[in-house]
């Protein structure tokens, strides 16, 4: 070995060497971590000696660890005299992420191979999925709900349960217990058998009409991460995707929200109740359970620390995620473990808070995507997102844009949820959006609370909204056309229910729909 290192050292500065066998992958990871640098000098190299047996598998292991630790294969030389080493390196690289094959030291000389072109199909094939309707998320993902329930993903209908159908939550189960729970084993078994689980109907119905479902989007994301080598048996794998709805602690009480997702909404509901009915009531339970991220008695954050090594994607929503300081401590821990560079983060925020303390944390991560939940402008915004201040939100967005200029890993999105209150006013929202220079605009259709879904508008209101949507001259008119079609092709609650719901809330909050939304009030026959 020393002779070979001496020979390579005539060309490169060798930082370290490692003998890879079939049994020392963990030691390999430690070796690579010890030699990780944010930037290598052009002549610096790591050298990995390969045993002659099972060379393809060893190359895949090496490439996976390089990817996980974020070391470019350009800086690695593999040593092997195997007759097929060149072909093996090309074939391992072709199913990966990094186009640059490993440099080879063979028969006393260095061999540089040409770059390998990856096709989409190569990368998808590298995941080695057992069948065409397979979803990886029940193996590698976990979602927490605002009140602490667990699911394998946000799109599935059913929460994780034990064999007696009892829900497992952050209050009563560990992450391992969730991943190995009865319902998860059953779900994984169904996917392995090529079935389409009923609980996943949201994905199947999207795919039936030719749209990309969460299942497909996840595969797209995953294949571009270059992840391979996963054995899709019935056992759960290390967590890669974690979607944390960080409780229901929120400073707003948006019209389209409820006690399940907002502590301010729950507090308002509780105050409406006679004192003696409050204990054990729905909003009270949501308030208690929804504070779970700050509950020091729960071991959730410690538990999550033991599942961090393969995390590649973290999603934080709420409540309002920027109010949960505990998640910044978790992110700092990922930085301290040198894992941040391999992790992408996504936030959904209401935009009312600029978390200054996050600036020095976010810069360490691979990418940070911040999506602002903004559905209207000016006084309409303040009516719909009660307790929010439009001016302050705009000031914050300016701050976020400055941060995007300073760091090169931040992108900003707007996520506008289309509902009964804003559907007539999407043009003015679109105009504001187009002035903001967001990296991405997402028009999200509200489905879950039927009284707020645009299908619940009265026929007169639908006519007004339809005409505005189809005659829109905005840059988003194609999206608006789809909104118009959806609105006209389904039904919602009755006009009486709609008006009663709005009136009740207006009365409670001292608001009047007609002040900020006069056309909508007239169209639904609302008299305050
Ligand atoms: S198929 Fe869809 S709903 Fe089911 S686990 Fe996968 S992403 Fe979630
Ligand atoms: S900001 Fe989000 S969580 Fe808070 S009240 Fe509004 S919709 Fe609910």
């Amino acid at each position: 070995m020393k002779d070979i290192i001496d020979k390579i050292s005539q060309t490169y500065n060798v930082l370290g060497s490692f003998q890879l066998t079939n049994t020392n992958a963990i030691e390999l990871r430690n070796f690579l971590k010890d030699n990780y640098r944010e930037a290598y000098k052009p002549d610096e190299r790591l050298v990995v000696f390969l045993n002659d047996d099972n060379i393809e598998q060893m190359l895949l292991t090496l490439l996976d660890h390089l990817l996980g630790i974020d070391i470019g294969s350009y800086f690695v030389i593999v040593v092997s005299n195997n007759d097929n080493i060149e072909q093996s390196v090309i074939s391992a690289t072709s199913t990966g992420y990094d186009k640059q094959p490993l440099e080879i030291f063979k028969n006393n000389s260095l061999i540089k191979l040409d770059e390998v072109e990856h096709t989409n199909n190569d990368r998808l094939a590298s995941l080695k999925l057992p069948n065409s309707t397979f979803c990886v998320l029940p193996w590698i993902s976990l979602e927490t709900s605002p009140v602490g329930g667990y699911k394998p993903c946000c799109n599935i209908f059913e929460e994780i349960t034990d064999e007696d159908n009892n829900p497992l939550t952050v209050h009563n189960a560990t992450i391992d217990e969730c991943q190995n729970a009865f319902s998860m084993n059953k779900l994984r078994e169904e996917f392995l058998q090529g079935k389409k689980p009923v609980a996943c109907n949201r994905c199947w119905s999207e795919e039936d009409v030719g749209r990309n479902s969460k299942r497909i989007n996840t595969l797209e994301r995953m294949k571009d991460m270059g992840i391979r080598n996963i054995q899709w048996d019935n056992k759960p794998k290390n967590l890669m995707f974690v979607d944390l709805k960080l409780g229901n602690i929120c400073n707003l009480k948006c019209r389209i929200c409820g006690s399940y997702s907002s502590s301010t909404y729950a507090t308002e509901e509780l105050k409406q109740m006679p004192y003696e009915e409050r204990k054990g009531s729905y909003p009270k339970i949501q308030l208690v359970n929804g504070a779970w991220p700050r509950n020091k008695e729960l071991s959730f954050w410690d538990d999550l620390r033991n599942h961090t090594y393969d995390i590649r994607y973290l999603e934080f929503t709420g409540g309002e995620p920027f109010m949960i300081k505990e998640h910044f401590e978790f992110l700092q821990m990922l930085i301290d473990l040198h894992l941040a560079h391999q992790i992408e983060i996504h936030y959904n925020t209401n935009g009312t808070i600029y978390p200054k303390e996050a600036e020095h944390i976010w810069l360490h991560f691979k990418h940070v995507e911040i999506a602002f939940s903004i559905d209207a402008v000016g006084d309409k915004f303040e009516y719909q997102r009660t307790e929010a201040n439009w001016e302050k939100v705009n000031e914050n967005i300016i701050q976020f844009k400055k941060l995007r200029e300073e760091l090169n890993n931040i992108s900003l999105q707007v996520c506008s949820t289309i509902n009964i209150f804003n559907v007539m006013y999407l043009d003015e929202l679109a105009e504001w959006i187009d002035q903001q220079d967001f990296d991405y605009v997402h028009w999200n259709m509200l489905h879950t609370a039927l009284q707020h879904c645009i299908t619940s508008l009265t026929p007169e209101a639908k006519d007004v909204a339809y005409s505005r949507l189809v005659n829109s001259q905005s840059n988003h008119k194609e999206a608006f056309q789809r909104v118009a079609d959806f609105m006209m092709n389904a039904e919602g609650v009755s006009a009486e229910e709609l008006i009663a719901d709005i009136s009740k809330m207006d009365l409670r909050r001292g608001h009047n729909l007609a002040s900020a939304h006069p056309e909508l009030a007239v169209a639904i026959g609302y008299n305050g």
Side-chain angles (χ1 to χ4, degrees):
M1 271 171 81
K2 184 172 178 315
D3 291 351
I4 293 174
I5 296 290
D6 286 346
K7 178 85 180 168
I8 296 174
S9 296
Q10 291 172 9
T11 310
Y12 294 117
N13 174 13
V14 176
L15 300 176
S17 65
F18 186 83
Q19 172 80 52
L20 180 60
T21 68
N22 286 325
T23 56
N24 63 358
I26 293 172
E27 289 84 351
L28 170 68
R29 187 175 185 107
N30 291 337
F31 163 76
L32 295 174
K33 272 174 66 185
D34 290 346
N35 285 286
Y36 169 76
R37 296 185 180 178
E38 281 198 9
Y40 290 92
K41 292 187 183 137
D43 68 334
E44 289 179 333
R45 293 294 183 274
L46 300 173
V47 177
V48 177
F49 289 80
L50 301 183
N51 267 4
D52 217 22
D53 52 338
N54 206 358
I55 210 146
E56 282 81 10
Q57 188 56 44
M58 275 192 286
L59 283 168
L60 288 175
T61 304
L62 173 59
L63 288 168
D64 282 347
H65 283 298
L66 289 174
L67 180 79
I69 293 165
D70 199 20
I71 298 177
S73 49
Y74 180 84
F75 298 104
V76 179
I77 295 168
V78 286
V79 180
S80 165
N81 283 338
N82 188 298
D83 288 344
N84 298 322
I85 183 68
E86 293 90 337
Q87 195 45 50
S88 300
V89 167
I90 289 172
S91 112
T93 308
S94 70
T95 60
Y97 177 73
D98 199 340
K99 290 179 170 185
Q100 181 66 53
L102 300 153
E103 195 168 343
I104 297 167
F105 186 87
K106 178 182 177 182
N107 298 332
N108 227 17
S109 53
L110 284 160
I111 305 167
K112 233 183 197 355
L113 301 169
D114 291 338
E115 273 197 358
V116 173
E117 257 325 305
H118 301 143
T119 66
N120 245 359
N121 286 346
D122 283 341
R123 282 178 285 152
L124 194 55
S126 72
L127 296 178
K128 297 202 170 92
L129 303 180
N131 55 64
S132 62
T133 54
F134 193 77
C135 180
V136 294
L137 290 182
W139 276 260
I140 57 161
S141 159
L142 203 60
E143 188 228 23
T144 59
S145 79
V147 292
Y150 280 121
K151 285 183 184 179
C153 87
C154 63
N155 224 26
I156 199 163
F157 290 122
E158 291 167 8
E159 295 206 324
I160 297 176
T161 57
D162 65 15
E163 59 242 74
D164 298 321
N165 216 20
N166 299 313
L168 300 188
T169 71
V170 295
H171 307 278
N172 65 17
T174 64
I175 291 171
D176 278 341
E177 284 166 344
C178 272
Q179 286 194 293
N180 289 291
F182 176 81
S183 66
M184 289 293 282
N185 286 331
K186 186 165 159 276
L187 186 66
R188 284 193 290 267
E189 201 50 54
E190 287 186 75
F191 277 116
L192 284 171
Q193 290 171 11
K195 294 182 182 162
K196 293 164 95 178
V198 177
C200 300
N201 268 354
R202 274 201 195 116
C203 278
W204 312 133
S205 54
E206 297 264 11
E207 291 175 27
D208 286 347
V209 293
R211 291 172 52 134
N212 274 1
S213 64
K214 184 173 178 75
R215 180 185 83 90
I216 291 173
N217 288 335
T218 304
L219 290 176
E220 284 294 312
R221 190 181 281 272
M222 199 169 160
K223 76 174 167 40
D224 289 338
M225 289 173 171
I227 294 162
R228 296 163 295 207
N229 270 344
I230 296 183
Q231 299 290 322
W232 300 110
D233 52 25
N234 201 323
K235 296 193 191 74
K237 308 302 168 198
N238 291 347
L239 286 181
M240 291 183 189
F241 294 81
V242 180
D243 178 354
L244 299 180
K245 305 211 163 28
L246 291 168
N248 68 358
I249 296 162
C250 186
N251 52 345
L252 304 188
K253 44 182 182 181
C254 302
R255 286 277 179 152
I256 56 171
C257 198
S259 299
Y260 180 78
S261 295
S262 163
S263 55
T264 305
Y265 200 112
T267 304
E268 182 187 64
E269 287 213 310
L270 207 57
K271 279 189 190 154
Q272 301 301 307
M273 304 176 91
Y275 187 77
E276 56 284 5
E277 288 175 20
R278 293 182 188 176
K279 196 174 169 199
S281 65
Y282 178 79
K284 180 71 187 171
I285 293 170
Q286 306 311 306
L287 268 179
V288 173
N289 289 344
W292 68 263
R294 288 184 182 162
N295 184 344
K296 300 271 180 260
E297 283 165 24
L298 289 183
S299 56
F300 177 81
W301 291 110
D302 290 334
D303 193 12
L304 189 58
R305 276 185 189 107
N306 297 325
H307 292 82
T308 50
Y309 276 97
D310 282 302
I311 290 180
R312 301 295 173 87
Y313 183 76
L314 276 172
E315 190 160 321
F316 295 118
T317 58
E320 171 46 48
F322 294 154
M323 293 177 76
I324 308 300
K325 305 298 171 203
E326 286 74 4
H327 97 277
F328 291 130
E329 290 164 17
F330 176 69
L331 294 182
Q332 184 59 53
M333 187 269 303
L334 294 174
I335 297 167
D336 297 342
L337 289 172
H338 305 292
L339 296 170
H341 62 273
Q342 69 187 34
I343 299 174
E344 295 171 36
I345 305 177
H346 175 94
Y347 285 100
N348 275 74
T349 173
N350 61 31
T352 58
I353 296 167
Y354 180 78
K356 182 86 186 142
E357 69 273 37
E359 290 179 353
H360 71 278
I361 292 176
W362 288 340
L363 66 90
H364 295 276
F365 284 83
K366 186 173 179 184
H367 191 76
V368 181
E369 188 175 66
I370 299 164
F372 299 98
S373 303
I374 294 178
D375 317 326
V377 301
D379 51 359
K380 292 187 189 68
F381 172 81
E382 292 183 356
Y383 173 89
Q384 293 172 34
R385 296 212 165 245
T386 316
E387 304 292 350
N389 179 298
W390 176 242
E391 214 172 298
K392 176 71 182 152
V393 168
N394 277 270
E395 282 169 17
N396 288 339
I397 289 173
I398 292 170
Q399 291 263 80
F400 281 107
K401 283 197 250 182
K402 277 193 194 141
L403 188 66
R404 180 176 61 179
E405 275 168 31
E406 284 163 25
L407 309 182
N408 61 5
N409 67 338
I410 304 272
S411 62
L412 305 178
Q413 293 186 5
V414 64
C415 175
S416 299
T417 299
I418 298 169
N419 63 81
I420 53 166
F421 298 108
N422 66 359
V423 68
M424 277 188 189
Y425 306 103
L426 292 183
D427 259 354
E428 64 182 58
L429 174 60
E431 193 183 333
W432 175 82
I433 286 173
D434 289 344
Q435 291 162 3
Q436 302 307 310
D437 190 24
F438 288 119
D439 299 294
Y440 185 72
V441 180
H442 179 53
W443 298 102
N444 175 45
M445 188 67 74
L446 183 140
H447 291 284
T448 41
L450 192 57
Q451 76 277 19
H452 297 141
C453 173
I454 55 175
T455 58
S456 288
L457 286 173
T458 59
E460 295 78 7
K462 281 186 180 177
D463 285 344
V464 177
Y466 185 84
S467 162
R468 290 186 178 193
L469 290 167
V470 297
N471 292 313
S472 169
Q473 295 303 312
S474 94
N475 293 329
H476 307 270
K477 59 185 176 194
E478 281 175 28
F480 293 173
Q481 179 65 58
R482 288 195 291 275
V483 172
D485 292 343
F486 170 77
M487 180 177 65
M488 301 311 266
N489 287 325
E491 298 202 339
V493 302
S494 68
E496 292 74 27
E497 279 176 83
L498 175 70
I499 290 170
D501 185 77
I502 297 172
S503 307
K504 186 173 145 203
M505 195 59 85
D506 272 0
L507 193 63
R508 186 193 284 179
R509 294 183 179 175
H511 289 174
N512 184 352
L513 176 75
S515 310
H517 305 71
E519 302 87 349
L520 174 62
V522 169
I524 64 171
Y526 180 84
N527 297 315

